C-alpha cells in the first residue's frame, strides 16, 4: 500500500464539507437569487508560497505562476503505479481540453512536485513528467523545501516499505488540485474517473 487509504481522504473532505455547510448557514439570511455555483475548494487554506527547483536546476516559486491557472500534483518518480496513472489521466485530460478549448488549456500550468527529494533529482523529475506531457513542469528541492511545500498544500508523505532491490516506496496522498490565477484553490481533479472527467472538471472552473 503506497498511497493513502480512502477513509483518510474522506475524512479530510468531510471536514471541508463541514466548513462549507457553516458558510452556507451564515448566508441563509441572504435573498436567494440563484448565484453561480462556487468552486468546491473556495476559501480552503490549501496552497501558497514555495521555493523549489525545476528540471534544469532553476529556482521556481509559487508566485512565478501569478495570473495562471495551475494543476498541482505531489508524488514520486519511482512510484510503481498510482502516480503514473494519475499523471497519465491529468495529461490526457489536458490534451482533451486542448482539443475542445485550446484557449482555456493554454491558461493552465500543470506541475508535478516530488515528495521523494532523496531520489528525485531535477533531472529525474524532468524525465518523469516528460514521459506524460510536454506541458507539465517537474519540481523537487531539498528535503526541507519539499516538506515545507507539502505542508502548505496539505499533502502527507512518509517513507514506506523497503523493496528487495534496495529501493523503497513512499506513502503519500495523491490528490490533484486545480488552482486559480491568484493561487486560490478551486477544485480537486477526479483522476480516478478518467481523463474525460478531469477535462470536464477543469473546463468547469477555468474561465
Ligand atoms: Ni505514488
Amino acid at each position: 500500500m503506497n498511497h493513502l487509504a480512502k477513509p483518510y481522504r474522506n475524512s479530510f473532505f468531510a471536514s471541508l464539507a463541514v466548513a462549507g455547510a457553516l458558510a452556507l448557514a451564515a448566508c441563509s439570511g441572504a435573498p436567494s437569487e440563484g448565484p453561480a455555483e462556487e468552486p468546491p475548494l473556495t476559501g480552503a487554506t490549501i496552497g501558497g508560497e514555495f521555493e523549489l527547483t525545476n528540471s534544469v536546476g532553476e529556482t521556481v516559486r509559487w508566485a512565478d505562476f501569478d495570473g495562471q491557472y495551475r494543476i498541482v500534483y505531489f508524488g514520486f518518480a519511482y512510484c510503481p503505479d498510482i502516480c503514473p496513472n494519475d499523471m497519465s489521466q491529468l495529461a490526457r485530460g489536458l490534451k482533451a481540453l486542448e482539443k475542445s478549448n485550446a484557449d482555456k488549456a493554454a491558461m493552465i500550468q500543470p506541475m508535478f512536485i516530488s515528495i521523494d527529494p532523496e531520489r528525485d533529482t531535477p533531472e529525474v523529475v524532468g524525465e518523469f513528467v516528460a514521459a506524460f506531457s510536454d506541458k507539465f513542469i517537474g519540481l523537487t528541492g531539498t528535503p526541507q523545501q519539499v516538506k515545507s511545500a507539502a505542508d502548505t498544500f496539505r499533502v502527507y508523505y512518509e517513507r514506506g516499505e523497503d523493496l528487495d532491490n534496495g529501493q523503497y516506496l513512499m506513502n503519500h496522498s495523491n490528490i490533484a488540485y486545480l488552482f486559480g490565477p491568484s493561487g486560490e484553490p478551486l477544485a480537486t481533479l477526479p483522476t480516478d474517473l478518467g481523463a474525460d472527467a478531469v477535462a470536464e472538471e477543469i473546463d468547469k472552473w477555468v474561465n
Side-chain angles (χ1 to χ4, degrees), residues 2-3 73-76 78-84 86 115 170-174:
N2 69 322
H3 283 78
Y73 183 82
F74 285 74
F76 67 112
Y78 291 85
C79 183
D81 41 33
I82 300 191
C83 292
D86 284 340
I115 44 78
M170 295 293 293
N171 299 318
H172 68 104
S173 38
N174 61 315

Side-chain angles (χ1 to χ4, degrees), residues 121-155:
T121 61
E123 198 179 357
V124 168
V125 288
E127 282 170 10
F128 178 73
V129 297
F132 300 98
S133 160
D134 56 4
K135 298 278 183 287
F136 264 84
I137 57 172
L139 300 173
T140 186
T142 66
Q144 211 166 9
Q145 287 175 320
V146 164
K147 177 75 173 79
S148 169
D151 285 350
T152 302
F153 286 76
R154 307 244 213 129
V155 166

Side-chain angles (χ1 to χ4, degrees), residues 66-146:
D66 283 354
Q68 287 178 288
Y69 286 82
R70 311 139 208 204
I71 292 169
V72 180
Y73 183 82
F74 285 74
F76 67 112
Y78 291 85
C79 183
D81 41 33
I82 300 191
C83 292
N85 181 60
D86 284 340
M87 286 291 288
S88 168
Q89 304 304 336
L90 292 172
R92 287 171 49 220
L94 265 176
K95 211 151 232 157
L97 184 66
E98 252 168 58
K99 280 195 185 132
S100 63
N101 194 327
D103 289 344
K104 270 194 190 185
M107 295 161 71
I108 303 163
Q109 176 59 63
M111 60 192 86
F112 170 86
I113 302 179
S114 172
I115 44 78
D116 184 16
E118 308 286 345
R119 287 180 296 184
D120 287 352
T121 61
E123 198 179 357
V124 168
V125 288
E127 282 170 10
F128 178 73
V129 297
F132 300 98
S133 160
D134 56 4
K135 298 278 183 287
F136 264 84
I137 57 172
L139 300 173
T140 186
T142 66
Q144 211 166 9
Q145 287 175 320
V146 164

